Amino acid sequence: MENLMITCISKPPVVIPTKHENLSEFPQTPIKHTFSYTKNNKNPKFTDNHLKYLARKGRLTEAVTVLDSVALSGSEVRPNTFISLLQACIDFESLDLGRKLHARIHLVKESDPFVETKLVSMYAKCGSFADAREVFDRMSEKNLYTWSAMIGAYSRESRWKKVVQLFFLMMEDGVLPDGFLFPRILQACANCGDARTGRLLHSLVIRLGMVDFTRVSNSVLAVYAKCGKLSSARRFFDYMNGRDRVTWNSMLLAYCQKGDSDEVYRLFNGMWGEGIEPCIVSWNILINSYNRLGQCDVALGLMKEMATSKVSPDVFTWTSVISGLAQNGRRWHALFMFKEMLLAGIKPNGVTITSAVSASASLKVLKMGLEIHSTALRMGITENVLVGNSLIDMYAKCGELEAARRVFDLIEEKDVYTWNSMIAGYCQSGFCGKAYELFIKMQESDVKPNVITWNTMMSGYIQNGDEDQATDLFQRIEQDGKIRRNTASWNALIAGFVQLGAIDKAFGVFRKMQSCSVSPNSVTILSILPGCANLIAAKKVKEIHGCILRRNLEFVLSISNSLIDTYAKSGNILYSRNIFDGMSTQDIISWNSIIGGYVLHGCSDAALDLFNRMGKLGLKPNRGTFLSIILAHGIAKMVDEGKHVFSSIIDSYEIIPAIEHYSAMIELYGRSGQLGEAMEFIEDMPIEPDSSIWTSLLTASRIHKDIALAVLAGERLLDLEPGNVVLSQLMFQIYSLCGKLDYSSKLRKLGKENTLRSLGHSWIEVRNTVHKFVTGDRSKPCTNLLYSWVQNIAREVNIDDHHGGFFIEEEEKEDIGGVHSEKLALAFALFGSPSSPQSIKIVKNTRMCKNCHLTAKHVSLKFGCEIYVTDTKCFHHFKNGYCSCGDYW
């Protein structure tokens, strides 16, 4: 081992604690007594023995009376006798009598540092820390035991920096630590992260020849391990003599905290090699190391392996496993293990209860939460603030706000998390008024709102549609709350505006945030990106991407995944693919995002090619993957292959298909015109068809002009959505096409609803400005020119020949309702431009009609441009006279 030199370290400033206002001042002169003493006992030995007897019996009040008698007689007591009395005060936790003894310390025969040392210990152990320090500071002579008493007092209070300061004062006083005191000072260095002083102590240990004292060496090792100096810890460990379980456990814990479970396992096996059998602590560290890395199955296996080593899992073992499962998304398994723990007769602690309650909260399983609450009540730990906070959160998430409030009211010593949990519960349930009332009460309490409280209130208001109140709180947080906004404060507003569909306001906050020198983080980016997943926000996506690159956030997996998805939805699938190909690591979400992007753009070949690559790489697809692949087979009209994929979901992957997969199968059949097979598939479904199933069938019926099936699908939809105005309009048209008297009553029923026609709105960005067009609108300054342009294009397309009398659309025909909004947007983009734009991107609020669809195809061919349109049904990419939807939407 290399020799460590003692370096010159300046003494940290010592802060003298102020005297507690309730403590009496120490007497400067002996107390004068006014009563007479009649019994004359001149035998000092008898007095000392009597006082020691009273000390052993705890009769300290009598002892004080005897001391007063000694004072009257002019006698004195021996130091050991006085020490016995002070020890009795410690044993019986009698601070008041200790003070009375202190007032009579002049009765000790001679000034004795051991008596003063015991006085320091008495004050410290009886809870009067200020008095202990004052006695210590007044002592003219301090020996090793005095320093040990004061250092021990600070250690018991976990005031580690004070311990280090006392060590330097002790060294200045010429006193060196011994084998008992070294571990305490080293423990302080470890707990306050003072590796520098730890190295100094290490050099002292070597110079004083104490390196072979196992307890001292273990403390040195703990300093390096806890301060993150793992290489130094390992070198010290490798050269140590006489390593015991504590030594090995320190190294196990150090590597566990580093996240190196492999080395933890090697060290664990190394214990056996040295003949040291791992104890329960060793097993718990090993199990915890795997839980921290999310390797819960390995942790569970180790827990079973403990039985073969005749080591029974204790409460910490079970708690580690339950917490690990809950934190890694395996919440049902965590709750199962909690029940197993109770059956095994292990009494859970507060952390176990908190983990189990949190799992119930995430799953919103009220019944299980109630059972755990009952367990906590039987154990008498419901007043534990951690348990109480988790119960409030659980009841709030399960919608039981009254129960949450009862738990809140029962917690006597509430912390900021208690208040925040209850306020968040009200906000999440939409009761912002009650949340605000509690927010005001919190400001009047001993616990003041922190930045999380303010952020919670802002999120609650804006997510419930009250952006004015949210913005007001955002402005007030620094003025009224005297709290500096953090990144989460800005994120709350951004996420709220995105949720409300106010993307421009969200972007305004995003830009202001950066102008105020507040750096966006991953949450900021993930909050604002979804709001840009549309065609008219393509430039905003690039702006956010630039911010991501400047902040070096492009390597965050979730951000890359979100960029892939957002670029695809904003019309730039090539950017999506470039990001995907440039990722150093890809998860299933990455693959699903790029595959889903290609399906959105109608690129079935690319989607299926990526799916095949997944298989070759051994990646396991999930529900999202299968949904996209069934849709891809539908676009490619590969019905048999699509059917095979659907069957493999259950047969090969043991995944239960969701309703989305059944809907995708209807589209698979519908695109290929196999409507009979689609109907048979619906009849054989093991679950009840919902609106998505019948909507898919209605689309197929409309495309393939199967009136009877359209009536069936439409009527099923009306049963499920009787108030759907758009559906009523479609059914009015379908019944009208039938031309049969059987439908006359149904036509009359839908007559009034049919008067409320959907009014088309379209948005387009031209020269960095978003323009809005409304069907039939003539209020624009250039209306006449736009309408003229549309009429000229209509003559070229000869659209009237394409309907063939089969008209089932969400909007009125143009000869009745006026020119549709997307045609006006197209005209605005092309009219008056010196050259045709390379791409035109339009967002529409209703389904694009066949007339407009044909127009867009013609325009893309005539002007050589790419046109992107997203409507309520589909993503359309028009190029060279073709559409990515395959004329199926």
Side-chain angles (χ1 to χ4, degrees), residues 20 198 289 377 416 522 526 633 645 657 691 693 757 769:
H20 196 285
S289 70
L377 283 168
V416 69
S522 299
L526 294 172
H633 281 118
V645 169
S691 298
I693 300 295
R757 301 294 296 182
T769 303

Side-chain angles (χ1 to χ4, degrees), residues 90 116-126 132 149-150 156:
I90 296 171
E116 292 178 301
T117 298
K118 180 58 73 171
L119 192 60
V120 171
S121 295
M122 184 276 296
Y123 276 124
K125 290 179 180 179
C126 288
M150 200 65 233
R156 284 189 293 275

Side-chain angles (χ1 to χ4, degrees), residues 57-318:
K57 297 297 182 181
R59 291 157 62 178
L60 296 173
T61 303
E62 293 179 48
V64 170
T65 303
V66 172
L67 285 175
D68 289 339
S69 301
V70 169
L72 285 175
S73 66
S75 300
E76 296 175 319
V77 295
R78 295 175 181 171
N80 285 343
T81 304
F82 205 82
I83 288 172
S84 298
L85 292 171
L86 290 171
Q87 182 61 47
C89 292
I90 296 171
D91 295 339
F92 293 97
E93 299 179 359
S94 180
L95 177 62
D96 183 56
L97 289 167
R99 285 204 178 103
K100 291 180 179 179
L101 288 175
H102 186 187
R104 293 157 177 81
I105 196 170
H106 61 280
L107 296 175
V108 179
K109 281 186 177 180
E110 65 270 352
S111 177
D112 191 316
F114 290 99
V115 173
E116 292 178 301
T117 298
K118 180 58 73 171
L119 192 60
V120 171
S121 295
M122 184 276 296
Y123 276 124
K125 290 179 180 179
C126 288
S128 183
F129 203 83
D131 277 347
R133 183 60 192 254
E134 187 165 344
V135 172
F136 176 82
D137 289 338
R138 286 184 179 181
M139 290 176 66
S140 57
E141 180 186 349
K142 301 182 183 78
N143 60 23
L144 176 62
Y145 301 104
T146 312
W147 289 100
S148 296
M150 200 65 233
I151 287 173
Y154 277 121
S155 296
R156 284 189 293 275
E157 294 287 315
S158 300
R159 297 171 69 174
W160 307 116
K161 289 185 178 180
K162 289 289 186 183
V163 171
V164 176
Q165 287 176 359
L166 279 176
F167 162 68
F168 284 105
L169 291 173
M170 175 182 174
M171 293 283 288
E172 281 190 358
D173 207 27
V175 181
L176 292 172
D178 62 357
F180 170 80
L181 195 53
F182 263 121
R184 289 205 172 192
I185 304 170
L186 285 163
Q187 181 191 21
C189 294
N191 288 335
C192 68
D194 190 349
R196 188 184 181 195
T197 305
R199 288 189 186 278
L200 172 61
L201 285 160
H202 184 185
S203 68
L204 276 176
V205 167
I206 295 170
R207 286 169 177 267
L208 295 174
M210 294 185 184
V211 74
D212 290 328
F213 288 22
T214 303
R215 188 163 176 263
V216 174
S217 294
N218 284 343
S219 299
V220 172
L221 179 65
V223 172
Y224 290 129
K226 288 188 177 181
C227 291
K229 307 294 182 182
L230 197 52
S231 58
S232 298
R234 188 57 187 257
R235 282 198 303 271
F236 187 79
F237 172 80
D238 290 338
Y239 284 99
M240 273 182 71
N241 295 321
R243 296 183 291 205
D244 60 7
R245 282 194 183 91
V246 175
T247 315
W248 286 90
N249 287 344
S250 291
M251 286 308 298
L252 288 172
L253 186 59
Y255 280 105
C256 172
Q257 290 171 341
K258 185 188 176 186
D260 190 347
S261 58
D262 292 337
E263 188 60 29
V264 174
Y265 191 71
R266 280 193 289 271
L267 284 168
F268 184 81
N269 288 327
M271 292 179 71
W272 295 97
E274 284 202 6
I276 298 175
E277 189 173 338
C279 62
I280 185 65
V281 175
S282 315
W283 282 98
N284 286 344
I285 294 170
L286 180 63
I287 289 170
N288 189 47
S289 70
Y290 284 106
N291 279 323
R292 285 163 63 101
L293 293 173
Q295 299 179 32
C296 300
D297 290 327
V298 179
L300 287 165
L302 288 168
M303 188 175 175
K304 292 178 182 177
E305 195 178 320
M306 289 175 71
T308 61
S309 300
K310 297 180 180 179
V311 179
S312 299
D314 64 3
V315 63
F316 300 105
T317 319
W318 286 94

Side-chain angles (χ1 to χ4, degrees), residues 301-506:
L302 288 168
M303 188 175 175
K304 292 178 182 177
E305 195 178 320
M306 289 175 71
T308 61
S309 300
K310 297 180 180 179
V311 179
S312 299
D314 64 3
V315 63
F316 300 105
T317 319
W318 286 94
T319 300
S320 175
V321 168
I322 291 166
S323 299
L325 289 167
Q327 290 166 10
N328 287 284
R330 298 173 62 175
R331 299 180 182 91
W332 284 112
H333 200 163
L335 294 176
F336 170 78
M337 290 301 291
F338 180 77
K339 286 187 174 182
E340 290 291 302
M341 177 184 183
L342 297 178
L343 291 172
I346 303 296
K347 185 179 179 181
N349 59 22
V351 179
T352 329
I353 295 290
T354 300
S355 297
V357 171
S358 297
S360 301
S362 299
L363 295 168
K364 297 183 180 179
V365 282
L366 180 60
K367 184 179 179 183
M368 188 65 193
L370 287 167
E371 290 179 15
I372 301 169
H373 191 178
S374 298
T375 303
L377 283 168
R378 288 195 297 272
M379 293 171 55
I381 60 172
T382 51
E383 292 183 4
N384 177 305
V385 71
L386 290 175
V387 174
N389 293 348
S390 64
L391 285 169
I392 292 168
D393 181 59
M394 184 272 294
Y395 282 122
K397 286 180 177 175
C398 291
E400 298 292 333
L401 290 176
E402 290 184 7
R405 186 57 185 262
R406 284 196 296 272
V407 175
F408 174 84
D409 291 337
L410 286 171
I411 299 175
E412 292 184 5
E413 295 185 9
K414 300 176 179 69
D415 63 11
V416 69
Y417 302 103
T418 316
W419 289 90
N420 287 351
S421 297
M422 193 66 241
I423 288 170
Y426 280 131
C427 288
Q428 289 161 7
S429 298
F431 296 106
C432 293
K434 289 188 176 181
Y436 190 75
E437 288 176 11
L438 206 59
F439 179 63
I440 297 300
K441 285 185 179 179
M442 184 179 182
Q443 292 174 318
E444 296 167 352
S445 73
D446 295 333
V447 182
K448 301 303 178 187
N450 62 6
V451 69
I452 296 173
T453 322
W454 285 85
N455 293 346
T456 301
M457 287 300 305
M458 282 188 285
S459 295
Y461 274 119
I462 200 163
Q463 287 172 9
N464 286 285
D466 194 341
E467 62 180 79
D468 291 337
Q469 281 282 11
T471 306
D472 179 61
L473 285 170
F474 183 79
Q475 299 297 335
R476 286 170 45 200
I477 182 172
E478 295 189 353
Q479 298 170 7
D480 297 356
K482 308 299 181 187
I483 295 171
R484 185 177 178 82
R485 298 186 197 101
N486 62 8
T487 307
S489 310
W490 296 87
N491 291 348
L493 276 189
I494 291 169
F497 281 126
V498 170
Q499 182 181 315
L500 294 175
I503 185 61
D504 289 336
K505 289 183 179 179

